[in-house]
Amino acid sequence: MRFLLCLLPSLLAAQTYDIVLQHGRVMDPESGLDAVRSVGITGSKIAAISASPLRGKVEVDATGLVVAPGFIDLHQHSQTLEAAGFKAMDGVTTALELEVGVSPVSEWYAAREGKSLINFGASSGHIPARMAVMHDSGEFLPRDAATNRPATPEEQKTIEAAVKKGLDEGGLGMGLGITYTPTASPGEILNLFYLAAEFKRPVFVHMRASGDVVRSLQEVIADAAVSGASLHVVHLNSAAMRQTPEALRMVEGARLRGLDVTTESYPYIAGATRLESALFDPGWQQRQHLEYSDLLWPATGERLNPVLFERYRKQGGTVVMFSNTEEMIRLILAQPRVMIASDGILEAGVGHPRAAGTYARLLGKYVREEKVLTLMEAIRKSSLMPAQRLQAFSPAMRQKGRVKIGADADLAVFDPNTVIDKATYEKPAQYSEGFRDVLVGGVFVVRDGKLQSDARPGQGIRAR
């Protein structure tokens, strides 16, 4: 055995790999490896990690750069090629629509097979199912029937059947945006938790916008407790705002008492959603603790007033809401159990900067400049933790979020000294800087800092 171990370095060096990343600082959040290594890739897999140089058909000098697992974004709404390009330039190799979800699930996956720059996937969505059954006229979120009246018992059965079909078809859990369906009764929501529990998949939930985060969080934690379903609370920072410390305490308390509850955050003080949605029904200022001037219309850069609010609400579209503080962002990013997810929204260049810059902002501003968390912690929150959240029912995720032999060659190579976001609220469609190379399944989607827009290595991630 000792003889074989002695031979191993020379055997690795003698082999020729498809791609070799030479002499990079390899950071693997699962094993804790943080050392200069060369990484050999064969096909779509990592085939070797060596302290000595390796030979490759393509050799890339990664000296001075970090080689990390590609980031896994659990909360990416925009699922277009345009949006995928911004994700790739931000180090993301897998972007999933889990909050709102989709319906029908199989059709959504089929439309993307063989056509995606990065890996993709979605939950089975309550919102799109409810909109279809109740004949709501909204484009992405409800704006009338599915939000301004309760579903009849027969409609509820039909909605549940649609969500169940999506779970049968491999949906990555259940998407549940209660804040956008305020007429959905507690009973309707609890029944959906029971359904998710049958499939042993998480509920990815945007809590009710009640103005009282404690009460909203209590509802979904209680539903998880009585149903046995796993619960993932999306963008806790955006939902809780100044009540973030109490919300974190509740999530941790639930975990300590045996519930499977997780959460996520994005590193921005502003959120974004559709202005025509139920979030802005009468009383929104009190519920959201916002004023008209806290709202930005990104299509024009205007801050809203009562006249502009009514005009754009009737028109419909994305609005940015300045609702948080840097203090709360730093607090939640520093929590060891909180994952990073973007809540990315960007269509035809209009949207929120988090769709383009979440991960570079985390690494540049909050790791390098402000030292809110370490580099390894940031990588773990952005790759391994999301993979672990899904891997119990999605075997593909067991080989993502790691840099180890046999893992998928989904990798982000970046300069920790220069990586930074460039997207702003006024100009969100700007690529991040510092990600020199990004690979998806052993294929470059970013090479020498340039997007490889013709690449299509992305694979659909499903539950099995």
Side-chain angles (χ1 to χ4, degrees), residues 39 55 75 129 193 385 400 416:
V39 178
R55 289 193 305 178
H75 194 159
F193 270 80
M385 287 177 67
K400 298 188 185 298

Side-chain angles (χ1 to χ4, degrees), residues 60 65 82 84 91-92 98 102 110 119 148 168 173 187 198 234 250 258 334 346 360 384 413 453 457 462:
V60 178
L65 304 178
E82 173 201 26
V92 175
L98 300 184
V102 302
N119 301 317
N148 59 26
D168 281 328
E198 290 177 22
V234 303
M250 292 174 69
L346 189 68
L384 180 64
V413 182
S453 56
R462 295 178 185 252

Side-chain angles (χ1 to χ4, degrees), residues 14 29 36 55 89 101 147 173 190 223 246 268 380 400 421:
V36 174
R55 289 193 305 178
M89 290 293 288
T147 186
L190 177 56
D223 286 353
E246 185 61 34
Y268 293 86
R380 179 176 62 88
K400 298 188 185 298
D421 60 309

Side-chain angles (χ1 to χ4, degrees), residues 73-77 98-99 204-205 232-239 248 251 262-266 332-333 337-344 381 386:
D73 190 348
L74 298 178
H75 194 159
Q76 169 67 14
H77 294 303
L98 300 184
E99 179 207 31
F204 296 89
V205 63
H232 183 85
V233 181
V234 303
H235 52 47
L236 193 65
N237 57 315
S238 175
L248 286 167
V251 169
T262 54
T263 192
E264 67 187 43
S265 175
Y266 53 76
I332 200 165
L333 292 180
R337 297 187 187 274
V338 175
M339 304 174 205
I340 306 302
S342 74
D343 194 5
K381 287 166 168 282

Side-chain angles (χ1 to χ4, degrees), residues 156-460:
Q156 288 187 40
K157 289 179 183 178
T158 306
I159 293 165
E160 282 188 38
V163 175
K164 180 180 184 299
K165 185 173 184 290
L167 293 169
D168 281 328
E169 293 170 350
L172 294 167
M174 180 187 296
L176 191 57
I178 316 175
T179 193
Y180 298 112
T181 58
T183 53
S185 69
E188 179 179 345
I189 299 304
L190 177 56
N191 284 336
L192 292 163
F193 270 80
Y194 282 126
L195 178 60
E198 290 177 22
F199 282 81
K200 295 182 171 56
R201 294 183 211 162
V203 182
F204 296 89
V205 63
H206 186 149
M207 302 180 294
R208 290 188 194 273
S210 65
D212 182 352
V213 170
V214 171
R215 180 168 54 185
S216 298
L217 192 50
Q218 281 176 337
E219 177 188 17
V220 293
I221 289 176
D223 286 353
V226 301
S227 68
S230 299
L231 169 64
H232 183 85
V233 181
V234 303
H235 52 47
L236 193 65
N237 57 315
S238 175
M241 295 183 286
R242 63 190 181 194
Q243 291 181 285
T244 295
E246 185 61 34
L248 286 167
R249 181 185 177 192
M250 292 174 69
V251 169
E252 188 61 21
R255 289 178 58 88
L256 290 173
R257 284 150 188 85
L259 297 183
D260 183 9
V261 182
T262 54
T263 192
E264 67 187 43
S265 175
Y266 53 76
Y268 293 86
I269 62 170
T273 192
R274 302 284 296 192
L275 187 59
E276 72 272 22
S277 73
L279 205 67
F280 293 99
D281 283 351
W284 62 270
Q285 291 105 321
Q286 291 72 36
R287 289 193 305 272
Q288 304 298 324
H289 306 288
L290 293 172
E291 301 296 336
Y292 289 107
S293 59
D294 294 321
L295 306 181
L296 171 73
W297 191 246
T300 63
E302 297 167 287
R303 291 285 183 145
L304 300 194
N305 56 39
V307 174
L308 291 174
F309 176 89
E310 293 300 330
R311 178 191 305 166
Y312 292 136
R313 182 163 163 79
K314 183 176 180 180
Q315 172 184 320
T318 298
V319 67
V320 171
M321 310 165 292
F322 289 86
S323 56
N324 219 324
T325 66
E326 281 290 342
E327 179 186 8
M328 291 297 102
I329 299 304
R330 295 187 190 99
L331 171 70
I332 200 165
L333 292 180
Q335 300 304 307
R337 297 187 187 274
V338 175
M339 304 174 205
I340 306 302
S342 74
D343 194 5
I345 302 172
L346 189 68
E347 301 289 344
V350 176
H352 190 295
R354 65 194 180 194
T358 286
Y359 297 92
R361 183 175 181 82
L362 176 73
L363 297 170
K365 177 177 172 63
Y366 292 103
V367 172
R368 182 179 66 244
E369 297 174 3
E370 300 191 7
K371 297 177 173 53
V372 172
L373 67 171
T374 68
L375 182 55
M376 185 66 89
E377 287 170 334
I379 292 171
R380 179 176 62 88
K381 287 166 168 282
S382 305
S383 58
L384 180 64
M385 287 177 67
Q388 291 174 327
R389 190 65 180 105
L390 304 178
Q391 67 187 28
F393 54 89
S394 182
M397 300 308 289
R398 297 172 192 161
Q399 302 306 325
K400 298 188 185 298
R402 292 103 165 154
V403 184
K404 67 177 184 180
I405 294 174
D408 292 338
D410 294 352
L411 298 167
V413 182
F414 63 90
D415 186 340
N417 298 311
T418 63
V419 63
I420 197 68
D421 60 309
K422 305 302 288 185
T424 66
Y425 296 106
E426 293 75 22
K427 294 182 179 180
Q430 299 188 77
Y431 292 140
S432 294
E433 292 184 355
F435 287 97
R436 198 195 65 181
D437 300 293
V438 178
L439 297 96
V440 174
V443 175
F444 286 101
V445 294
V446 176
R447 182 82 188 271
D448 293 329
K450 295 180 175 61
L451 183 68
Q452 306 299 292
S453 56
D454 292 335
R456 297 292 184 271
Q459 300 292 310

